[in-house]
Amino acid sequence: MRAVVAGAAGFIGSHLVDRMLEMGWEVVGVDNLLTGSRANLAHLAGHPRFRLVEQDVCRPVEILGPVDRVLHLASAASPVDFSRFPVEILMAGTVGTRNLLELAAAKGARFLLASTSEVYGDPLVHPQPEDYRGNVDPTGPRGCYDEAKRCAEAFTMAYHRTRGVETRIVRIFNTYGPRTRVDDGRVVPNFVLQALRQQPLTVYGDGSQTRSLCYVDDLVSGLLAALESPEPMPFNLGTEQEITVLELARLVRQLSGSTSEITFRPLPPGDPLRRRPDLSRARTLLGWEPRVSLQEGLRRTLDHFRSVLS
Ligand SMILES: NC(=O)c1ccc[n+]([C@@H]2O[C@H](COP(=O)([O-])OP(=O)(O)OC[C@H]3O[C@@H](n4cnc5c(N)ncnc54)[C@H](O)[C@@H]3O)[C@@H](O)[C@H]2O)c1
Protein backbone atom coordinates (compact mmCIF):
# COMPACT_ATOMS: atom_id res chain seq x y z
CA MET A 1 0.00 0.00 0.00
CA ARG A 2 1.41 3.42 -0.96
CA ALA A 3 -0.15 6.50 0.61
CA VAL A 4 0.29 10.24 0.12
CA VAL A 5 -0.28 12.09 3.40
CA ALA A 6 -0.71 15.85 2.99
CA GLY A 7 0.02 17.57 6.31
CA ALA A 8 2.48 14.81 7.29
CA ALA A 9 4.69 17.12 9.36
CA GLY A 10 1.80 18.22 11.55
CA PHE A 11 0.57 16.88 14.87
CA ILE A 12 -1.98 14.31 13.64
CA GLY A 13 -0.28 13.73 10.27
CA SER A 14 3.01 12.66 11.84
CA HIS A 15 1.26 10.13 14.11
CA LEU A 16 -0.66 8.81 11.11
CA VAL A 17 2.57 8.38 9.14
CA ASP A 18 4.11 6.45 12.05
CA ARG A 19 1.14 4.07 12.15
CA MET A 20 1.13 3.51 8.37
CA LEU A 21 4.85 2.71 8.43
CA GLU A 22 4.27 0.28 11.33
CA MET A 23 1.63 -1.39 9.12
CA GLY A 24 4.24 -1.86 6.37
CA TRP A 25 2.89 0.88 4.07
CA GLU A 26 5.05 3.19 1.97
CA VAL A 27 4.31 6.87 2.67
CA VAL A 28 5.01 10.08 0.76
CA GLY A 29 4.43 13.06 3.03
CA VAL A 30 3.56 16.43 1.50
CA ASP A 31 3.82 19.51 3.70
CA ASN A 32 4.76 23.18 3.33
CA LEU A 33 5.73 23.41 7.02
CA LEU A 34 3.32 26.32 7.61
CA THR A 35 2.35 25.02 11.05
CA GLY A 36 4.08 21.63 10.99
CA SER A 37 7.68 20.89 11.78
CA ARG A 38 10.43 18.63 10.49
CA ALA A 39 11.07 17.76 14.13
CA ASN A 40 7.80 15.77 14.14
CA LEU A 41 9.33 13.46 11.51
CA ALA A 42 12.98 13.58 12.65
CA HIS A 43 12.78 10.01 13.99
CA LEU A 44 12.00 8.83 10.43
CA ALA A 45 15.19 10.21 8.86
CA GLY A 46 16.55 7.59 6.45
CA HIS A 47 13.44 5.38 6.73
CA PRO A 48 13.34 3.31 3.51
CA ARG A 49 9.55 3.61 3.12
CA PHE A 50 9.12 7.32 3.90
CA ARG A 51 9.97 10.57 2.22
CA LEU A 52 8.78 14.14 2.65
CA VAL A 53 8.02 16.44 -0.25
CA GLU A 54 8.10 20.06 0.88
CA GLN A 55 5.26 21.59 -1.09
CA ASP A 56 2.12 23.68 -0.78
CA VAL A 57 -0.93 21.62 -1.75
CA CYS A 58 -2.35 24.75 -3.34
CA ARG A 59 0.02 23.96 -6.21
CA PRO A 60 -0.76 20.82 -8.26
CA VAL A 61 0.63 17.77 -6.47
CA GLU A 62 2.56 15.42 -8.74
CA ILE A 63 3.84 12.14 -7.33
CA LEU A 64 5.73 9.62 -9.44
CA GLY A 65 4.58 6.00 -9.41
CA PRO A 66 1.41 4.32 -8.17
CA VAL A 67 -0.60 5.73 -5.26
CA ASP A 68 -3.33 3.78 -3.45
CA ARG A 69 -4.45 6.32 -0.83
CA VAL A 70 -4.43 10.13 -0.64
CA LEU A 71 -5.14 11.68 2.77
CA HIS A 72 -5.72 15.42 3.12
CA LEU A 73 -4.77 16.73 6.55
CA ALA A 74 -2.99 19.81 5.24
CA SER A 75 -4.51 22.80 6.98
CA ALA A 76 -3.62 25.10 9.81
CA ALA A 77 -6.17 24.14 12.42
CA SER A 78 -5.74 25.85 15.75
CA PRO A 79 -7.73 28.94 16.78
CA VAL A 80 -4.55 31.04 16.93
CA ASP A 81 -4.10 30.30 13.21
CA PHE A 82 -7.56 31.62 12.30
CA SER A 83 -6.35 35.22 12.68
CA ARG A 84 -2.78 34.56 11.47
CA PHE A 85 -3.50 32.44 8.36
CA PRO A 86 -7.16 32.88 7.30
CA VAL A 87 -6.37 33.07 3.58
CA GLU A 88 -3.96 30.10 3.73
CA ILE A 89 -6.66 28.07 5.54
CA LEU A 90 -9.27 28.94 2.91
CA MET A 91 -6.82 28.06 0.12
CA ALA A 92 -5.85 24.70 1.67
CA GLY A 93 -9.51 23.75 2.15
CA THR A 94 -10.57 24.75 -1.37
CA VAL A 95 -7.71 24.74 -3.91
CA GLY A 96 -5.68 22.24 -1.86
CA THR A 97 -8.61 19.85 -1.62
CA ARG A 98 -9.22 20.07 -5.34
CA ASN A 99 -5.54 19.42 -6.15
CA LEU A 100 -5.42 16.35 -3.91
CA LEU A 101 -8.69 15.05 -5.36
CA GLU A 102 -7.18 15.49 -8.82
CA LEU A 103 -4.16 13.45 -7.68
CA ALA A 104 -6.46 10.72 -6.37
CA ALA A 105 -8.44 10.77 -9.66
CA ALA A 106 -5.27 10.54 -11.76
CA LYS A 107 -3.90 7.63 -9.70
CA GLY A 108 -7.20 5.79 -9.16
CA ALA A 109 -6.51 6.22 -5.42
CA ARG A 110 -8.96 6.41 -2.55
CA PHE A 111 -9.13 9.88 -0.94
CA LEU A 112 -9.75 10.79 2.69
CA LEU A 113 -10.55 14.31 3.89
CA ALA A 114 -9.72 15.27 7.47
CA SER A 115 -12.69 17.54 8.14
CA THR A 116 -13.68 18.93 11.50
CA SER A 117 -16.38 19.29 14.11
CA GLU A 118 -16.15 23.01 13.23
CA VAL A 119 -18.48 22.28 10.29
CA TYR A 120 -21.19 22.23 13.00
CA GLY A 121 -20.19 25.74 14.12
CA ASP A 122 -21.76 26.71 17.44
CA PRO A 123 -24.16 23.76 17.47
CA LEU A 124 -27.79 23.98 18.52
CA VAL A 125 -28.07 20.17 18.77
CA HIS A 126 -26.23 18.05 21.38
CA PRO A 127 -24.52 15.71 20.82
CA GLN A 128 -23.95 16.34 17.11
CA PRO A 129 -24.85 13.51 14.71
CA GLU A 130 -23.42 13.59 11.18
CA ASP A 131 -26.74 14.69 9.67
CA TYR A 132 -26.82 17.87 11.78
CA ARG A 133 -26.15 20.72 9.34
CA GLY A 134 -24.59 23.13 11.75
CA ASN A 135 -24.80 26.74 12.90
CA VAL A 136 -21.85 28.49 11.28
CA ASP A 137 -21.17 32.23 11.03
CA PRO A 138 -19.35 32.66 7.69
CA THR A 139 -18.22 36.21 8.55
CA GLY A 140 -17.12 35.42 12.12
CA PRO A 141 -13.53 34.93 13.26
CA ARG A 142 -13.73 31.15 12.75
CA GLY A 143 -15.51 31.43 9.39
CA CYS A 144 -12.29 30.91 7.37
CA TYR A 145 -11.77 27.48 8.89
CA ASP A 146 -15.39 26.34 9.18
CA GLU A 147 -16.30 27.35 5.65
CA ALA A 148 -13.03 26.02 4.16
CA LYS A 149 -13.82 22.60 5.59
CA ARG A 150 -17.46 22.76 4.50
CA CYS A 151 -16.27 23.58 0.99
CA ALA A 152 -13.69 20.76 1.23
CA GLU A 153 -16.49 18.32 2.07
CA ALA A 154 -18.56 19.60 -0.87
CA PHE A 155 -15.54 19.19 -3.21
CA THR A 156 -15.02 15.67 -1.89
CA MET A 157 -18.63 14.68 -2.52
CA ALA A 158 -18.55 16.27 -5.98
CA TYR A 159 -15.54 14.14 -6.98
CA HIS A 160 -17.21 11.11 -5.42
CA ARG A 161 -20.48 11.67 -7.28
CA THR A 162 -19.24 12.83 -10.67
CA ARG A 163 -15.54 11.99 -11.11
CA GLY A 164 -15.50 8.38 -9.95
CA VAL A 165 -13.14 8.97 -7.00
CA GLU A 166 -13.64 6.77 -3.96
CA THR A 167 -13.82 9.25 -1.09
CA ARG A 168 -14.06 9.22 2.70
CA ILE A 169 -14.74 12.11 5.09
CA VAL A 170 -13.97 12.20 8.80
CA ARG A 171 -15.05 15.03 11.08
CA ILE A 172 -12.43 15.22 13.78
CA PHE A 173 -13.36 16.56 17.20
CA ASN A 174 -10.78 17.99 19.66
CA THR A 175 -7.70 15.79 19.57
CA TYR A 176 -4.67 16.07 21.83
CA GLY A 177 -1.41 14.28 22.50
CA PRO A 178 2.36 14.44 22.02
CA ARG A 179 3.63 16.73 19.21
CA THR A 180 0.85 19.28 19.59
CA ARG A 181 2.50 22.60 18.80
CA VAL A 182 3.81 24.43 21.85
CA ASP A 183 2.11 27.67 20.74
CA ASP A 184 -1.01 25.86 19.54
CA GLY A 185 -3.29 27.88 21.78
CA ARG A 186 -5.73 25.02 22.38
CA VAL A 187 -6.80 24.07 25.83
CA VAL A 188 -4.68 20.95 26.47
CA PRO A 189 -1.27 22.28 25.35
CA ASN A 190 -2.08 25.58 27.10
CA PHE A 191 -2.76 23.94 30.45
CA VAL A 192 0.05 21.40 30.13
CA LEU A 193 2.65 24.06 29.37
CA GLN A 194 1.40 26.43 32.03
CA ALA A 195 1.38 23.64 34.62
CA LEU A 196 4.89 22.45 33.74
CA ARG A 197 6.22 26.01 33.81
CA GLN A 198 4.48 26.61 37.16
CA GLN A 199 2.56 29.50 35.57
CA PRO A 200 -1.13 30.25 36.28
CA LEU A 201 -3.52 28.06 34.24
CA THR A 202 -5.70 30.40 32.15
CA VAL A 203 -9.38 29.53 31.99
CA TYR A 204 -11.49 31.55 29.54
CA GLY A 205 -14.98 32.42 30.79
CA ASP A 206 -16.06 30.73 34.02
CA GLY A 207 -14.72 27.35 32.89
CA SER A 208 -18.15 25.73 32.69
CA GLN A 209 -17.83 25.29 28.89
CA THR A 210 -17.14 21.66 28.03
CA ARG A 211 -14.71 19.88 25.76
CA SER A 212 -14.55 16.25 24.65
CA LEU A 213 -10.95 15.26 24.07
CA CYS A 214 -9.73 12.37 21.96
CA TYR A 215 -6.21 10.97 22.35
CA VAL A 216 -4.30 11.03 19.06
CA ASP A 217 -3.63 7.24 18.89
CA ASP A 218 -7.38 6.58 19.05
CA LEU A 219 -8.01 9.18 16.39
CA VAL A 220 -5.43 7.61 14.06
CA SER A 221 -7.13 4.21 14.47
CA GLY A 222 -10.43 5.87 13.55
CA LEU A 223 -8.96 7.58 10.49
CA LEU A 224 -7.62 4.28 9.18
CA ALA A 225 -10.86 2.44 9.95
CA ALA A 226 -12.81 5.08 7.99
CA LEU A 227 -10.27 5.00 5.16
CA GLU A 228 -10.64 1.24 4.76
CA SER A 229 -14.42 1.19 5.21
CA PRO A 230 -16.79 1.23 2.21
CA GLU A 231 -18.68 4.33 3.51
CA PRO A 232 -18.41 7.65 1.62
CA MET A 233 -20.61 9.66 4.02
CA PRO A 234 -18.94 11.53 6.92
CA PHE A 235 -17.91 9.94 10.21
CA ASN A 236 -17.58 11.85 13.48
CA LEU A 237 -14.43 10.83 15.36
CA GLY A 238 -13.76 11.97 18.91
CA THR A 239 -14.91 11.06 22.37
CA GLU A 240 -18.28 11.34 24.01
CA GLN A 241 -16.77 11.95 27.43
CA GLU A 242 -17.32 15.63 28.28
CA ILE A 243 -15.27 17.55 30.78
CA THR A 244 -15.59 21.20 31.78
CA VAL A 245 -12.59 23.37 31.07
CA LEU A 246 -12.26 24.09 34.79
CA GLU A 247 -12.26 20.36 35.65
CA LEU A 248 -9.63 19.83 32.96
CA ALA A 249 -7.43 22.56 34.44
CA ARG A 250 -7.65 20.88 37.85
CA LEU A 251 -6.89 17.45 36.38
CA VAL A 252 -3.81 18.68 34.48
CA ARG A 253 -2.59 20.43 37.62
CA GLN A 254 -3.05 17.27 39.66
CA LEU A 255 -1.41 14.90 37.12
CA SER A 256 1.55 17.23 36.62
CA GLY A 257 2.07 17.81 40.34
CA SER A 258 2.06 21.54 39.59
CA THR A 259 1.27 24.18 42.21
CA SER A 260 0.00 26.68 39.60
CA GLU A 261 -3.09 28.69 40.47
CA ILE A 262 -6.06 28.92 38.08
CA THR A 263 -6.92 32.38 36.67
CA PHE A 264 -9.96 33.48 34.67
CA ARG A 265 -10.07 35.64 31.50
CA PRO A 266 -12.98 36.77 29.25
CA LEU A 267 -14.27 34.19 26.78
CA PRO A 268 -13.02 34.93 23.22
CA PRO A 269 -15.80 35.64 20.66
CA GLY A 270 -17.08 32.57 18.83
CA ASP A 271 -15.52 30.10 21.28
CA PRO A 272 -17.92 27.13 21.26
CA LEU A 273 -19.53 26.54 24.64
CA ARG A 274 -20.19 22.91 24.09
CA ARG A 275 -19.34 20.35 21.46
CA ARG A 276 -19.64 16.61 21.69
CA PRO A 277 -19.85 14.03 18.91
CA ASP A 278 -22.55 11.47 18.46
CA LEU A 279 -20.33 8.48 17.67
CA SER A 280 -23.12 6.00 16.88
CA ARG A 281 -22.23 5.89 13.19
CA ALA A 282 -18.51 5.22 13.72
CA ARG A 283 -19.29 2.70 16.44
CA THR A 284 -21.81 0.79 14.31
CA LEU A 285 -20.17 0.94 10.88
CA LEU A 286 -16.48 1.01 11.81
CA GLY A 287 -16.59 -0.89 15.09
CA TRP A 288 -14.39 1.95 16.37
CA GLU A 289 -14.26 3.18 19.94
CA PRO A 290 -11.75 5.48 21.64
CA ARG A 291 -9.81 3.48 24.24
CA VAL A 292 -7.24 5.72 25.91
CA SER A 293 -8.58 7.34 29.09
CA LEU A 294 -8.18 11.09 29.56
CA GLN A 295 -5.88 10.49 32.55
CA GLU A 296 -3.62 8.17 30.55
CA GLY A 297 -3.60 10.44 27.49
CA LEU A 298 -2.76 13.48 29.61
CA ARG A 299 0.06 11.55 31.34
CA ARG A 300 1.60 10.68 27.95
CA THR A 301 1.17 14.29 26.78
CA LEU A 302 2.78 15.63 29.95
CA ASP A 303 5.73 13.22 29.46
CA HIS A 304 6.19 14.49 25.90
CA PHE A 305 6.10 18.16 26.89
CA ARG A 306 8.47 17.54 29.80
CA SER A 307 11.02 16.13 27.34
CA VAL A 308 10.47 19.02 24.87
CA LEU A 309 10.94 21.61 27.63
CA SER A 310 13.96 19.98 29.24
N1 LIG B 1 -6.10 18.64 16.11
C1 LIG B 1 -7.41 18.65 16.15
O1 LIG B 1 -8.00 18.62 17.22
C2 LIG B 1 -8.22 18.67 14.86
C3 LIG B 1 -9.60 18.76 14.99
C4 LIG B 1 -10.36 18.79 13.82
C5 LIG B 1 -9.77 18.68 12.58
N2 LIG B 1 -8.42 18.58 12.50
C6 LIG B 1 -7.85 18.51 11.15
O2 LIG B 1 -6.78 17.58 11.10
C7 LIG B 1 -5.76 18.05 10.23
C8 LIG B 1 -4.42 18.07 10.97
O3 LIG B 1 -4.53 18.94 12.09
P1 LIG B 1 -3.36 19.11 13.15
O4 LIG B 1 -3.98 19.39 14.46
O5 LIG B 1 -2.41 18.00 12.99
O6 LIG B 1 -2.73 20.49 12.65
P2 LIG B 1 -1.20 20.84 12.31
O7 LIG B 1 -1.17 22.32 12.07
O8 LIG B 1 -0.29 20.27 13.33
O9 LIG B 1 -0.98 20.05 10.95
C9 LIG B 1 -1.35 20.56 9.70
C10 LIG B 1 -0.20 20.33 8.74
O10 LIG B 1 -0.57 20.79 7.44
C11 LIG B 1 0.49 21.55 6.89
N3 LIG B 1 -0.08 22.48 5.93
C12 LIG B 1 -0.93 23.51 6.17
N4 LIG B 1 -1.26 24.12 5.01
C13 LIG B 1 -0.61 23.44 4.03
C14 LIG B 1 -0.55 23.59 2.62
N5 LIG B 1 -1.23 24.55 1.98
N6 LIG B 1 0.22 22.72 1.91
C15 LIG B 1 0.92 21.73 2.53
N7 LIG B 1 0.90 21.55 3.87
C16 LIG B 1 0.13 22.40 4.60
C17 LIG B 1 1.13 22.24 8.08
O11 LIG B 1 2.46 22.67 7.83
C18 LIG B 1 1.05 21.13 9.13
O12 LIG B 1 2.19 20.29 9.08
C19 LIG B 1 -6.18 19.43 9.75
O13 LIG B 1 -6.75 19.32 8.46
C20 LIG B 1 -7.23 19.85 10.74
O14 LIG B 1 -8.19 20.70 10.17
C21 LIG B 1 -7.62 18.60 13.61
Side-chain angles (χ1 to χ4, degrees):
M1 195 68 89
R2 187 163 187 251
V4 171
V5 176
F11 158 52
I12 298 175
S14 62
H15 286 277
L16 180 62
V17 170
D18 284 346
R19 185 76 66 84
M20 287 175 162
L21 293 173
E22 277 164 32
M23 288 159 46
W25 293 21
E26 185 180 336
V27 182
V28 180
V30 180
D31 203 298
N32 67 352
L33 304 177
L34 178 70
T35 53
S37 155
R38 282 186 180 279
N40 287 338
L41 300 167
H43 58 290
L44 299 178
H47 194 293
R49 284 183 282 107
F50 177 71
R51 77 186 169 94
L52 181 69
V53 177
E54 202 175 316
Q55 197 209 297
D56 191 328
V57 295
C58 298
R59 286 192 291 114
V61 182
E62 285 163 15
I63 305 287
L64 288 177
V67 175
D68 305 294
R69 303 285 183 262
V70 175
L71 295 94
H72 182 11
L73 287 86
S75 173
S78 85
V80 290
D81 298 329
F82 301 165
S83 52
R84 282 198 294 194
F85 302 124
V87 176
E88 289 82 352
I89 289 172
L90 281 159
M91 291 292 285
T94 54
V95 178
T97 303
R98 191 226 176 219
N99 286 342
L100 290 163
L101 281 160
E102 281 292 322
L103 174 69
K107 299 287 183 181
R110 189 177 292 177
F111 173 89
L112 179 138
L113 172 70
S115 185
T116 171
S117 56
E118 293 279 344
V119 298
Y120 302 124
D122 195 3
L124 305 174
V125 167
H126 293 283
Q128 293 87 54
E130 287 85 350
D131 59 4
Y132 176 54
R133 292 184 189 169
N135 177 35
V136 172
D137 175 4
T139 60
R142 307 170 86 92
C144 59
Y145 184 61
D146 303 6
E147 298 294 4
K149 290 291 186 181
R150 288 168 73 99
C151 181
E153 291 197 13
F155 252 124
T156 304
M157 292 313 294
Y159 272 71
H160 166 70
R161 292 195 176 107
T162 67
R163 302 279 170 96
V165 180
E166 267 197 77
T167 59
R168 307 288 179 263
I169 297 173
V170 292
R171 293 181 181 153
I172 303 171
F173 284 66
N174 269 339
T175 301
Y176 72 101
R179 300 186 200 150
T180 322
R181 236 167 52 209
V182 172
D183 63 346
D184 179 275
R186 275 177 280 197
V187 67
V188 172
N190 267 2
F191 286 164
V192 163
L193 278 168
Q194 290 169 335
L196 292 178
R197 288 174 171 158
Q198 305 295 338
Q199 294 166 347
L201 272 62
T202 320
V203 168
Y204 295 96
D206 64 3
S208 62
Q209 69 273 35
T210 65
R211 294 289 180 267
S212 55
L213 300 163
C214 184
Y215 188 66
V216 65
D217 286 1
D218 282 331
L219 195 265
V220 165
S221 302
L223 289 178
L224 290 167
L227 179 66
E228 297 311 312
S229 85
E231 289 294 323
M233 297 312 283
F235 284 104
N236 286 338
L237 295 179
T239 61
E240 289 170 337
Q241 193 197 342
E242 257 177 302
I243 183 166
T244 70
V245 168
L246 186 56
E247 282 167 344
L248 180 67
R250 291 188 178 129
L251 183 59
V252 170
R253 191 171 58 174
Q254 178 209 325
L255 292 172
S256 64
S258 170
T259 53
S260 297
E261 55 180 298
I262 294 174
T263 57
F264 295 85
R265 295 247 182 90
L267 200 61
D271 201 38
L273 291 181
R274 204 173 165 210
R275 201 182 277 140
R276 181 164 75 94
D278 180 334
L279 296 178
S280 314
R281 199 161 184 276
R283 193 174 286 123
T284 311
L285 297 179
L286 305 178
W288 174 83
E289 194 82 56
R291 300 196 183 286
V292 180
S293 70
L294 184 59
Q295 278 80 355
E296 179 54 27
L298 287 175
R299 269 192 209 100
R300 293 185 205 173
T301 309
L302 280 160
D303 286 347
H304 166 79
F305 277 98
R306 268 193 203 97
S307 68
V308 169
L309 295 180
S310 64

